[in-house]
Amino acid sequence: MEKGLDGQSLLSLIRGEFGGGDVDIRTYSPLTLAYIGDAVFEMIVRTLVVEKGQRAANALHRHTTRIVCAQMQAKLADAVYESLTEEEQDVYRRGKNTKIHSSAKNASLGDYRKATGFEALCGYLFLKNDTVRIMQIVRRAFEAAQVEL
């Protein structure tokens, strides 16, 4: 788990300051997990892009959006699926197979579904307070898919 200065994870700090954490995350819908997972994944990518060096905000945004898009997330999901635990594969499949009420602007339905599964997995692990595992999965996915930051 990623720790703050006082040894707590971001999730623990949020819950400590604002409350929460009383709901069994296994009861969350896949789209709820994908909602928070999208933000978690984007924060990881934005952090990595920013830490590569000072650039104009529009350049940062362009680089980030090449990675945080349905097509790339589908590629990342494919790259790591076999290395996921059974529990993680179940969460991914639930996200991938859920009824989606919107459509992707620039991606196929298949890629959009895989991306939703990947985001659901990130959200599930975040709410489970397993930041270390999210980082392992994202690193492995970036390496396997040869993502350049």
PDB file of all heavy atoms in Angstrom, residues 1-4 8-21 25 28 36 40 43 123-131 134:
ATOM      1  N   MET A   1       0.817  -1.179   0.000  1.00  0.00           N
ATOM      2  CA  MET A   1       0.000   0.000   0.000  1.00  0.00           C
ATOM      3  C   MET A   1       0.863   1.246   0.000  1.00  0.00           C
ATOM      4  O   MET A   1       1.864   1.300   0.676  1.00  0.00           O
ATOM      5  CB  MET A   1      -0.879   0.017   1.237  1.00  0.00           C
ATOM      6  CG  MET A   1      -2.072  -0.897   1.141  1.00  0.00           C
ATOM      7  SD  MET A   1      -2.874  -1.075   2.726  1.00  0.00           S
ATOM      8  CE  MET A   1      -2.021  -2.516   3.316  1.00  0.00           C
ATOM      9  N   GLU A   2       0.422   2.227  -0.768  1.00  0.00           N
ATOM     10  CA  GLU A   2       1.136   3.493  -0.792  1.00  0.00           C
ATOM     11  C   GLU A   2       0.842   4.226   0.503  1.00  0.00           C
ATOM     12  O   GLU A   2      -0.301   4.359   0.916  1.00  0.00           O
ATOM     13  CB  GLU A   2       0.667   4.312  -1.992  1.00  0.00           C
ATOM     14  CG  GLU A   2       1.491   5.533  -2.215  1.00  0.00           C
ATOM     15  CD  GLU A   2       1.122   6.182  -3.522  1.00  0.00           C
ATOM     16  OE1 GLU A   2       0.948   5.460  -4.522  1.00  0.00           O
ATOM     17  OE2 GLU A   2       1.006   7.398  -3.537  1.00  0.00           O
ATOM     18  N   LYS A   3       1.872   4.705   1.154  1.00  0.00           N
ATOM     19  CA  LYS A   3       1.713   5.328   2.462  1.00  0.00           C
ATOM     20  C   LYS A   3       1.982   6.819   2.386  1.00  0.00           C
ATOM     21  O   LYS A   3       2.846   7.275   1.649  1.00  0.00           O
ATOM     22  CB  LYS A   3       2.684   4.710   3.479  1.00  0.00           C
ATOM     23  CG  LYS A   3       2.534   3.211   3.629  1.00  0.00           C
ATOM     24  CD  LYS A   3       1.255   2.827   4.287  1.00  0.00           C
ATOM     25  CE  LYS A   3       1.201   1.326   4.513  1.00  0.00           C
ATOM     26  NZ  LYS A   3       0.001   0.864   5.056  1.00  0.00           N
ATOM     27  N   GLY A   4       1.237   7.585   3.177  1.00  0.00           N
ATOM     28  CA  GLY A   4       1.481   9.008   3.325  1.00  0.00           C
ATOM     29  C   GLY A   4       2.553   9.223   4.378  1.00  0.00           C
ATOM     30  O   GLY A   4       3.155   8.286   4.891  1.00  0.00           O
ATOM     31  N   GLN A   8      -0.148   6.180   6.425  1.00  0.00           N
ATOM     32  CA  GLN A   8      -1.457   5.729   5.967  1.00  0.00           C
ATOM     33  C   GLN A   8      -1.559   5.827   4.449  1.00  0.00           C
ATOM     34  O   GLN A   8      -0.959   6.687   3.825  1.00  0.00           O
ATOM     35  CB  GLN A   8      -2.559   6.576   6.596  1.00  0.00           C
ATOM     36  CG  GLN A   8      -2.722   6.361   8.088  1.00  0.00           C
ATOM     37  CD  GLN A   8      -3.896   7.147   8.615  1.00  0.00           C
ATOM     38  OE1 GLN A   8      -3.985   8.347   8.425  1.00  0.00           O
ATOM     39  NE2 GLN A   8      -4.798   6.445   9.274  1.00  0.00           N
ATOM     40  N   SER A   9      -2.369   4.958   3.863  1.00  0.00           N
ATOM     41  CA  SER A   9      -2.624   5.008   2.430  1.00  0.00           C
ATOM     42  C   SER A   9      -3.578   6.161   2.129  1.00  0.00           C
ATOM     43  O   SER A   9      -4.248   6.685   3.025  1.00  0.00           O
ATOM     44  CB  SER A   9      -3.247   3.697   1.962  1.00  0.00           C
ATOM     45  OG  SER A   9      -4.554   3.560   2.493  1.00  0.00           O
ATOM     46  N   LEU A  10      -3.651   6.539   0.860  1.00  0.00           N
ATOM     47  CA  LEU A  10      -4.580   7.586   0.439  1.00  0.00           C
ATOM     48  C   LEU A  10      -6.012   7.222   0.828  1.00  0.00           C
ATOM     49  O   LEU A  10      -6.751   8.055   1.356  1.00  0.00           O
ATOM     50  CB  LEU A  10      -4.464   7.819  -1.071  1.00  0.00           C
ATOM     51  CG  LEU A  10      -5.430   8.826  -1.682  1.00  0.00           C
ATOM     52  CD1 LEU A  10      -5.235  10.211  -1.058  1.00  0.00           C
ATOM     53  CD2 LEU A  10      -5.250   8.879  -3.182  1.00  0.00           C
ATOM     54  N   LEU A  11      -6.396   5.987   0.593  1.00  0.00           N
ATOM     55  CA  LEU A  11      -7.745   5.541   0.925  1.00  0.00           C
ATOM     56  C   LEU A  11      -8.002   5.661   2.427  1.00  0.00           C
ATOM     57  O   LEU A  11      -9.055   6.142   2.849  1.00  0.00           O
ATOM     58  CB  LEU A  11      -7.983   4.105   0.464  1.00  0.00           C
ATOM     59  CG  LEU A  11      -9.369   3.534   0.736  1.00  0.00           C
ATOM     60  CD1 LEU A  11     -10.449   4.346   0.021  1.00  0.00           C
ATOM     61  CD2 LEU A  11      -9.431   2.081   0.298  1.00  0.00           C
ATOM     62  N   SER A  12      -7.040   5.258   3.249  1.00  0.00           N
ATOM     63  CA  SER A  12      -7.189   5.361   4.700  1.00  0.00           C
ATOM     64  C   SER A  12      -7.323   6.813   5.130  1.00  0.00           C
ATOM     65  O   SER A  12      -8.120   7.133   6.020  1.00  0.00           O
ATOM     66  CB  SER A  12      -5.999   4.723   5.412  1.00  0.00           C
ATOM     67  OG  SER A  12      -5.940   3.349   5.119  1.00  0.00           O
ATOM     68  N   LEU A  13      -6.546   7.687   4.497  1.00  0.00           N
ATOM     69  CA  LEU A  13      -6.637   9.112   4.823  1.00  0.00           C
ATOM     70  C   LEU A  13      -8.002   9.685   4.445  1.00  0.00           C
ATOM     71  O   LEU A  13      -8.595  10.450   5.212  1.00  0.00           O
ATOM     72  CB  LEU A  13      -5.516   9.885   4.121  1.00  0.00           C
ATOM     73  CG  LEU A  13      -4.108   9.616   4.632  1.00  0.00           C
ATOM     74  CD1 LEU A  13      -3.071  10.214   3.691  1.00  0.00           C
ATOM     75  CD2 LEU A  13      -3.932  10.168   6.036  1.00  0.00           C
ATOM     76  N   ILE A  14      -8.506   9.304   3.267  1.00  0.00           N
ATOM     77  CA  ILE A  14      -9.824   9.768   2.831  1.00  0.00           C
ATOM     78  C   ILE A  14     -10.896   9.283   3.803  1.00  0.00           C
ATOM     79  O   ILE A  14     -11.742  10.057   4.268  1.00  0.00           O
ATOM     80  CB  ILE A  14     -10.133   9.294   1.395  1.00  0.00           C
ATOM     81  CG1 ILE A  14      -9.205   9.994   0.403  1.00  0.00           C
ATOM     82  CG2 ILE A  14     -11.601   9.537   1.040  1.00  0.00           C
ATOM     83  CD1 ILE A  14      -9.229   9.395  -1.002  1.00  0.00           C
ATOM     84  N   ARG A  15     -10.853   8.007   4.121  1.00  0.00           N
ATOM     85  CA  ARG A  15     -11.861   7.451   5.037  1.00  0.00           C
ATOM     86  C   ARG A  15     -11.747   8.058   6.426  1.00  0.00           C
ATOM     87  O   ARG A  15     -12.750   8.311   7.080  1.00  0.00           O
ATOM     88  CB  ARG A  15     -11.722   5.932   5.102  1.00  0.00           C
ATOM     89  CG  ARG A  15     -12.213   5.250   3.849  1.00  0.00           C
ATOM     90  CD  ARG A  15     -12.012   3.761   3.900  1.00  0.00           C
ATOM     91  NE  ARG A  15     -12.617   3.105   2.743  1.00  0.00           N
ATOM     92  CZ  ARG A  15     -12.335   1.882   2.365  1.00  0.00           C
ATOM     93  NH1 ARG A  15     -11.454   1.151   3.043  1.00  0.00           N
ATOM     94  NH2 ARG A  15     -12.914   1.363   1.307  1.00  0.00           N
ATOM     95  N   GLY A  16     -10.526   8.289   6.882  1.00  0.00           N
ATOM     96  CA  GLY A  16     -10.333   8.887   8.202  1.00  0.00           C
ATOM     97  C   GLY A  16     -10.860  10.306   8.281  1.00  0.00           C
ATOM     98  O   GLY A  16     -11.430  10.721   9.291  1.00  0.00           O
ATOM     99  N   GLU A  17     -10.679  11.039   7.217  1.00  0.00           N
ATOM    100  CA  GLU A  17     -11.100  12.443   7.197  1.00  0.00           C
ATOM    101  C   GLU A  17     -12.593  12.609   6.944  1.00  0.00           C
ATOM    102  O   GLU A  17     -13.244  13.484   7.497  1.00  0.00           O
ATOM    103  CB  GLU A  17     -10.305  13.190   6.125  1.00  0.00           C
ATOM    104  CG  GLU A  17     -10.381  14.684   6.202  1.00  0.00           C
ATOM    105  CD  GLU A  17      -9.726  15.278   7.434  1.00  0.00           C
ATOM    106  OE1 GLU A  17      -8.753  14.698   7.960  1.00  0.00           O
ATOM    107  OE2 GLU A  17     -10.197  16.340   7.887  1.00  0.00           O
ATOM    108  N   PHE A  18     -13.151  11.743   6.084  1.00  0.00           N
ATOM    109  CA  PHE A  18     -14.529  11.934   5.645  1.00  0.00           C
ATOM    110  C   PHE A  18     -15.462  10.782   6.007  1.00  0.00           C
ATOM    111  O   PHE A  18     -16.654  10.850   5.743  1.00  0.00           O
ATOM    112  CB  PHE A  18     -14.570  12.134   4.125  1.00  0.00           C
ATOM    113  CG  PHE A  18     -13.815  13.345   3.672  1.00  0.00           C
ATOM    114  CD1 PHE A  18     -12.533  13.219   3.159  1.00  0.00           C
ATOM    115  CD2 PHE A  18     -14.362  14.612   3.772  1.00  0.00           C
ATOM    116  CE1 PHE A  18     -11.821  14.330   2.741  1.00  0.00           C
ATOM    117  CE2 PHE A  18     -13.657  15.729   3.356  1.00  0.00           C
ATOM    118  CZ  PHE A  18     -12.377  15.594   2.842  1.00  0.00           C
ATOM    119  N   GLY A  19     -14.947   9.715   6.567  1.00  0.00           N
ATOM    120  CA  GLY A  19     -15.773   8.558   6.892  1.00  0.00           C
ATOM    121  C   GLY A  19     -15.889   7.623   5.707  1.00  0.00           C
ATOM    122  O   GLY A  19     -15.342   7.868   4.639  1.00  0.00           O
ATOM    123  N   GLY A  20     -16.582   6.547   5.887  1.00  0.00           N
ATOM    124  CA  GLY A  20     -16.775   5.580   4.810  1.00  0.00           C
ATOM    125  C   GLY A  20     -16.065   4.281   5.118  1.00  0.00           C
ATOM    126  O   GLY A  20     -15.502   4.087   6.188  1.00  0.00           O
ATOM    127  N   GLY A  21     -16.112   3.399   4.153  1.00  0.00           N
ATOM    128  CA  GLY A  21     -15.454   2.108   4.304  1.00  0.00           C
ATOM    129  C   GLY A  21     -16.312   1.060   4.977  1.00  0.00           C
ATOM    130  O   GLY A  21     -15.833  -0.026   5.283  1.00  0.00           O
ATOM    131  N   ILE A  25     -17.165  -4.123  -0.466  1.00  0.00           N
ATOM    132  CA  ILE A  25     -16.919  -3.758  -1.857  1.00  0.00           C
ATOM    133  C   ILE A  25     -17.385  -4.825  -2.840  1.00  0.00           C
ATOM    134  O   ILE A  25     -17.585  -4.522  -4.012  1.00  0.00           O
ATOM    135  CB  ILE A  25     -15.444  -3.386  -2.113  1.00  0.00           C
ATOM    136  CG1 ILE A  25     -14.513  -4.556  -1.845  1.00  0.00           C
ATOM    137  CG2 ILE A  25     -15.054  -2.165  -1.333  1.00  0.00           C
ATOM    138  CD1 ILE A  25     -13.092  -4.291  -2.273  1.00  0.00           C
ATOM    139  N   TYR A  28     -20.544  -3.727  -4.649  1.00  0.00           N
ATOM    140  CA  TYR A  28     -20.545  -2.626  -5.614  1.00  0.00           C
ATOM    141  C   TYR A  28     -20.753  -3.166  -7.025  1.00  0.00           C
ATOM    142  O   TYR A  28     -20.231  -4.225  -7.377  1.00  0.00           O
ATOM    143  CB  TYR A  28     -19.227  -1.858  -5.588  1.00  0.00           C
ATOM    144  CG  TYR A  28     -19.056  -0.926  -4.403  1.00  0.00           C
ATOM    145  CD1 TYR A  28     -17.875  -0.928  -3.683  1.00  0.00           C
ATOM    146  CD2 TYR A  28     -20.052  -0.043  -4.030  1.00  0.00           C
ATOM    147  CE1 TYR A  28     -17.690  -0.072  -2.609  1.00  0.00           C
ATOM    148  CE2 TYR A  28     -19.880   0.811  -2.957  1.00  0.00           C
ATOM    149  CZ  TYR A  28     -18.693   0.799  -2.253  1.00  0.00           C
ATOM    150  OH  TYR A  28     -18.526   1.646  -1.195  1.00  0.00           O
ATOM    151  N   ILE A  36     -14.512   4.553 -10.070  1.00  0.00           N
ATOM    152  CA  ILE A  36     -13.382   4.938  -9.214  1.00  0.00           C
ATOM    153  C   ILE A  36     -12.070   4.443  -9.823  1.00  0.00           C
ATOM    154  O   ILE A  36     -11.040   5.114  -9.740  1.00  0.00           O
ATOM    155  CB  ILE A  36     -13.565   4.455  -7.755  1.00  0.00           C
ATOM    156  CG1 ILE A  36     -12.531   5.089  -6.824  1.00  0.00           C
ATOM    157  CG2 ILE A  36     -13.505   2.958  -7.621  1.00  0.00           C
ATOM    158  CD1 ILE A  36     -12.734   6.553  -6.578  1.00  0.00           C
ATOM    159  N   VAL A  40      -8.401   6.292 -10.515  1.00  0.00           N
ATOM    160  CA  VAL A  40      -7.161   5.735  -9.946  1.00  0.00           C
ATOM    161  C   VAL A  40      -6.130   5.537 -11.053  1.00  0.00           C
ATOM    162  O   VAL A  40      -4.972   5.966 -10.930  1.00  0.00           O
ATOM    163  CB  VAL A  40      -7.437   4.403  -9.207  1.00  0.00           C
ATOM    164  CG1 VAL A  40      -6.146   3.700  -8.845  1.00  0.00           C
ATOM    165  CG2 VAL A  40      -8.292   4.654  -7.970  1.00  0.00           C
ATOM    166  N   MET A  43      -4.863   8.855 -12.353  1.00  0.00           N
ATOM    167  CA  MET A  43      -3.944   9.497 -11.419  1.00  0.00           C
ATOM    168  C   MET A  43      -2.552   8.863 -11.514  1.00  0.00           C
ATOM    169  O   MET A  43      -1.540   9.575 -11.471  1.00  0.00           O
ATOM    170  CB  MET A  43      -4.466   9.412  -9.978  1.00  0.00           C
ATOM    171  CG  MET A  43      -3.603  10.202  -9.017  1.00  0.00           C
ATOM    172  SD  MET A  43      -4.299  10.456  -7.386  1.00  0.00           S
ATOM    173  CE  MET A  43      -4.660   8.826  -6.866  1.00  0.00           C
ATOM    174  N   GLY A 123     -10.414  -0.172  -9.619  1.00  0.00           N
ATOM    175  CA  GLY A 123     -11.295   0.350  -8.575  1.00  0.00           C
ATOM    176  C   GLY A 123     -11.454  -0.623  -7.425  1.00  0.00           C
ATOM    177  O   GLY A 123     -11.430  -0.237  -6.250  1.00  0.00           O
ATOM    178  N   TYR A 124     -11.613  -1.885  -7.755  1.00  0.00           N
ATOM    179  CA  TYR A 124     -11.755  -2.918  -6.729  1.00  0.00           C
ATOM    180  C   TYR A 124     -10.515  -2.976  -5.845  1.00  0.00           C
ATOM    181  O   TYR A 124     -10.612  -2.982  -4.618  1.00  0.00           O
ATOM    182  CB  TYR A 124     -12.011  -4.268  -7.401  1.00  0.00           C
ATOM    183  CG  TYR A 124     -12.107  -5.423  -6.437  1.00  0.00           C
ATOM    184  CD1 TYR A 124     -13.277  -5.648  -5.719  1.00  0.00           C
ATOM    185  CD2 TYR A 124     -11.029  -6.279  -6.241  1.00  0.00           C
ATOM    186  CE1 TYR A 124     -13.371  -6.713  -4.824  1.00  0.00           C
ATOM    187  CE2 TYR A 124     -11.117  -7.340  -5.356  1.00  0.00           C
ATOM    188  CZ  TYR A 124     -12.289  -7.550  -4.650  1.00  0.00           C
ATOM    189  OH  TYR A 124     -12.377  -8.600  -3.758  1.00  0.00           O
ATOM    190  N   LEU A 125      -9.352  -3.001  -6.469  1.00  0.00           N
ATOM    191  CA  LEU A 125      -8.111  -3.077  -5.688  1.00  0.00           C
ATOM    192  C   LEU A 125      -7.886  -1.820  -4.863  1.00  0.00           C
ATOM    193  O   LEU A 125      -7.397  -1.885  -3.735  1.00  0.00           O
ATOM    194  CB  LEU A 125      -6.922  -3.348  -6.614  1.00  0.00           C
ATOM    195  CG  LEU A 125      -6.916  -4.732  -7.262  1.00  0.00           C
ATOM    196  CD1 LEU A 125      -5.845  -4.819  -8.334  1.00  0.00           C
ATOM    197  CD2 LEU A 125      -6.751  -5.833  -6.214  1.00  0.00           C
ATOM    198  N   PHE A 126      -8.271  -0.665  -5.405  1.00  0.00           N
ATOM    199  CA  PHE A 126      -8.140   0.579  -4.642  1.00  0.00           C
ATOM    200  C   PHE A 126      -9.037   0.536  -3.404  1.00  0.00           C
ATOM    201  O   PHE A 126      -8.590   0.838  -2.292  1.00  0.00           O
ATOM    202  CB  PHE A 126      -8.495   1.787  -5.513  1.00  0.00           C
ATOM    203  CG  PHE A 126      -8.456   3.090  -4.766  1.00  0.00           C
ATOM    204  CD1 PHE A 126      -7.247   3.686  -4.441  1.00  0.00           C
ATOM    205  CD2 PHE A 126      -9.632   3.711  -4.379  1.00  0.00           C
ATOM    206  CE1 PHE A 126      -7.202   4.882  -3.737  1.00  0.00           C
ATOM    207  CE2 PHE A 126      -9.605   4.906  -3.681  1.00  0.00           C
ATOM    208  CZ  PHE A 126      -8.388   5.497  -3.360  1.00  0.00           C
ATOM    209  N   LEU A 127     -10.300   0.161  -3.589  1.00  0.00           N
ATOM    210  CA  LEU A 127     -11.232   0.116  -2.454  1.00  0.00           C
ATOM    211  C   LEU A 127     -10.896  -1.005  -1.481  1.00  0.00           C
ATOM    212  O   LEU A 127     -11.299  -0.964  -0.323  1.00  0.00           O
ATOM    213  CB  LEU A 127     -12.673  -0.015  -2.960  1.00  0.00           C
ATOM    214  CG  LEU A 127     -13.187   1.218  -3.715  1.00  0.00           C
ATOM    215  CD1 LEU A 127     -14.552   0.937  -4.320  1.00  0.00           C
ATOM    216  CD2 LEU A 127     -13.234   2.435  -2.807  1.00  0.00           C
ATOM    217  N   LYS A 128     -10.149  -1.982  -1.945  1.00  0.00           N
ATOM    218  CA  LYS A 128      -9.656  -3.050  -1.086  1.00  0.00           C
ATOM    219  C   LYS A 128      -8.387  -2.591  -0.353  1.00  0.00           C
ATOM    220  O   LYS A 128      -7.859  -3.302   0.480  1.00  0.00           O
ATOM    221  CB  LYS A 128      -9.368  -4.277  -1.968  1.00  0.00           C
ATOM    222  CG  LYS A 128      -9.194  -5.562  -1.253  1.00  0.00           C
ATOM    223  CD  LYS A 128      -9.046  -6.678  -2.277  1.00  0.00           C
ATOM    224  CE  LYS A 128      -8.295  -7.819  -1.631  1.00  0.00           C
ATOM    225  NZ  LYS A 128      -7.964  -8.880  -2.545  1.00  0.00           N
ATOM    226  N   ASN A 129      -7.920  -1.407  -0.696  1.00  0.00           N
ATOM    227  CA  ASN A 129      -6.718  -0.791  -0.121  1.00  0.00           C
ATOM    228  C   ASN A 129      -5.462  -1.573  -0.492  1.00  0.00           C
ATOM    229  O   ASN A 129      -4.539  -1.720   0.298  1.00  0.00           O
ATOM    230  CB  ASN A 129      -6.841  -0.622   1.393  1.00  0.00           C
ATOM    231  CG  ASN A 129      -6.085   0.583   1.899  1.00  0.00           C
ATOM    232  OD1 ASN A 129      -5.572   1.383   1.122  1.00  0.00           O
ATOM    233  ND2 ASN A 129      -6.005   0.716   3.210  1.00  0.00           N
ATOM    234  N   ASP A 130      -5.426  -2.059  -1.734  1.00  0.00           N
ATOM    235  CA  ASP A 130      -4.287  -2.831  -2.220  1.00  0.00           C
ATOM    236  C   ASP A 130      -3.576  -2.076  -3.345  1.00  0.00           C
ATOM    237  O   ASP A 130      -3.483  -2.545  -4.488  1.00  0.00           O
ATOM    238  CB  ASP A 130      -4.734  -4.221  -2.683  1.00  0.00           C
ATOM    239  CG  ASP A 130      -3.579  -5.207  -2.769  1.00  0.00           C
ATOM    240  OD1 ASP A 130      -2.406  -4.779  -2.646  1.00  0.00           O
ATOM    241  OD2 ASP A 130      -3.861  -6.403  -2.962  1.00  0.00           O
ATOM    242  N   THR A 131      -3.061  -0.911  -3.004  1.00  0.00           N
ATOM    243  CA  THR A 131      -2.366  -0.064  -3.965  1.00  0.00           C
ATOM    244  C   THR A 131      -1.134  -0.762  -4.531  1.00  0.00           C
ATOM    245  O   THR A 131      -0.807  -0.589  -5.707  1.00  0.00           O
ATOM    246  CB  THR A 131      -1.967   1.275  -3.308  1.00  0.00           C
ATOM    247  OG1 THR A 131      -3.118   1.826  -2.659  1.00  0.00           O
ATOM    248  CG2 THR A 131      -1.438   2.260  -4.317  1.00  0.00           C
ATOM    249  N   ILE A 134      -2.166  -2.851  -7.439  1.00  0.00           N
ATOM    250  CA  ILE A 134      -2.485  -2.023  -8.611  1.00  0.00           C
ATOM    251  C   ILE A 134      -1.193  -1.653  -9.328  1.00  0.00           C
ATOM    252  O   ILE A 134      -1.089  -1.766 -10.554  1.00  0.00           O
ATOM    253  CB  ILE A 134      -3.240  -0.739  -8.218  1.00  0.00           C
ATOM    254  CG1 ILE A 134      -4.584  -1.062  -7.576  1.00  0.00           C
ATOM    255  CG2 ILE A 134      -3.442   0.153  -9.447  1.00  0.00           C
ATOM    256  CD1 ILE A 134      -5.264   0.137  -6.934  1.00  0.00           C
TER     257      ILE A 134
END
